[in-house]
Amino acid sequence: NELSIHYQPLFHSKEERVYGFEALVRWNSKTRGLVPPGHFIEIAEQNGLIRQVDFFVLKEAFSAAQRWYDKGIMRGRIAVNISSVNFQQAEFVCQIKELVASVNGNCKLIELELTETAMMIDAPTVAKNISILKSMGFTIALDDFGTGFSTFNYLKQLPAQHVKIDGSFVRDMLNDPIDLALVKAINDISTSLDKRSVAEYVENKEIFLALKEIGVDYGQGYFIARPVPVEKISDELKKISENNLFN
Ligand code: C2E
Ligand code: CA
Ligand code: CA
């Protein structure tokens, strides 16, 4: 019982409002303090615990999403990261269906984020699983886009609705013309394939405004809001609406 979740707002650029949140797992260890996922996800993937980690987050996200939707706090979705290791398991989709039934979850309020490594294992199976999950109502996002090996193939085979431009391109895009060109190119490809684009690592106002100008649909990053525990969400949303991000 030492896992918890921090939620980071995702901002809709054109509508100028919070669209949803990304759920990011944390380990509150009695001996180590607050451990970030970068320090334990890979170990959980290796020792077979990753299914329990991701399902814990998904279950919590279903309940938070319904609560926030009912209260009018959220009109979009909560995004949940699913490890590519989980997609390797034949029973993965069945297990998701069982979870949805057990919590009476509304899949329309959840976005599943997956990375390209999932496709590198068994692309046809993953593509089939993704189609089933999409037909259940989940939105699918391609995370860390641009950092893998078969990006375009992946884009072709996966019926994902959202493309998350990897933060490593976004963070420096105003100093590095190559990064800027790549952000624009990924956004153009997403738009022409009728997908929405999301930029992570929006760390300052200049980047935020440049992304809006390029036409990136959603932004996420420390400039907008940091990931916070559930009890701090209301304060965070208040701060966002009070800080006029555009002026
Ligand atoms: P990710 O999915 O790419 O998540 C974004 C990471 O960027 C998060 O780190 C977030 O806190 C951080 N971030 C957000 N805004 C900014 C910004 O403006 N600048 C910078 N430099 N960083 C920003 P976090 O929470 O440490 O998560 C790291 C990774 O761990 C995630 O990367 C994801 O791959 C993985 N992860 C997190 N939660 C889960 C989970 O529940 N299941 C699985 N399988 N993986 C997870
Ligand atoms: Ca993610
Ligand atoms: Ca990412």
Side-chain angles (χ1 to χ4, degrees), residues 22 81 113 115 142-145 164-167 200-201 220:
E22 179 170 4
N81 295 283
E113 295 195 355
T115 62
L142 309 182
D143 204 358
D144 303 340
F145 189 82
K164 289 190 90 166
I165 306 170
D166 192 71
E200 34 174 46
Y201 293 15
Q220 176 184 5

Side-chain angles (χ1 to χ4, degrees), residues 122-187:
D122 177 2
T125 308
V126 174
K128 198 174 131 223
N129 285 345
I130 292 293
S131 295
I132 301 171
L133 294 167
K134 201 175 153 189
S135 70
M136 288 167 68
F138 288 109
T139 297
I140 308 297
L142 309 182
D143 204 358
D144 303 340
F145 189 82
T147 57
F149 297 110
S150 58
T151 304
F152 289 115
N153 204 19
Y154 175 56
L155 213 48
K156 185 176 165 187
Q157 291 183 56
L158 277 194
Q161 294 105 315
H162 291 170
V163 173
K164 289 190 90 166
I165 306 170
D166 192 71
S168 62
F169 303 124
V170 177
R171 190 168 33 193
D172 263 345
M173 64 181 240
L174 296 182
N175 299 318
D176 185 334
I178 298 181
D179 283 341
L180 182 63
L182 289 172
V183 169
K184 285 181 178 165
I186 297 172
N187 181 67

Side-chain angles (χ1 to χ4, degrees), residues 55 58 62 91-105 107 129 132-133 135-136 138:
F55 276 49
L58 188 55
F62 267 122
E91 65 281 9
F92 174 66
V93 171
C94 279
Q95 290 167 340
I96 294 256
K97 282 183 179 164
E98 281 168 22
L99 178 89
V100 171
S102 75
V103 300
N104 194 20
C107 302
N129 285 345
I132 301 171
L133 294 167
S135 70
M136 288 167 68
F138 288 109

Side-chain angles (χ1 to χ4, degrees), residues 9-19 202-213 217-226 236-247:
L10 271 136
F11 197 79
H12 194 299
S13 309
K14 284 191 202 93
E15 295 178 12
E16 302 184 7
R17 60 172 177 87
V18 170
Y19 151 86
V202 182
E203 291 181 352
N204 58 52
K205 189 173 178 175
E206 291 68 36
I207 294 181
F208 179 80
L209 293 174
L211 289 164
K212 195 170 153 63
E213 181 77 28
D217 299 280
Y218 303 99
Q220 176 184 5
Y222 297 161
F223 172 66
I224 301 159
R226 286 185 175 259
E236 208 58 33
L237 294 177
K238 214 165 132 209
K239 258 194 266 166
I240 297 175
S241 64
E242 284 168 3
N243 290 349
N244 193 345
L245 294 176
F246 301 93
N247 298 309

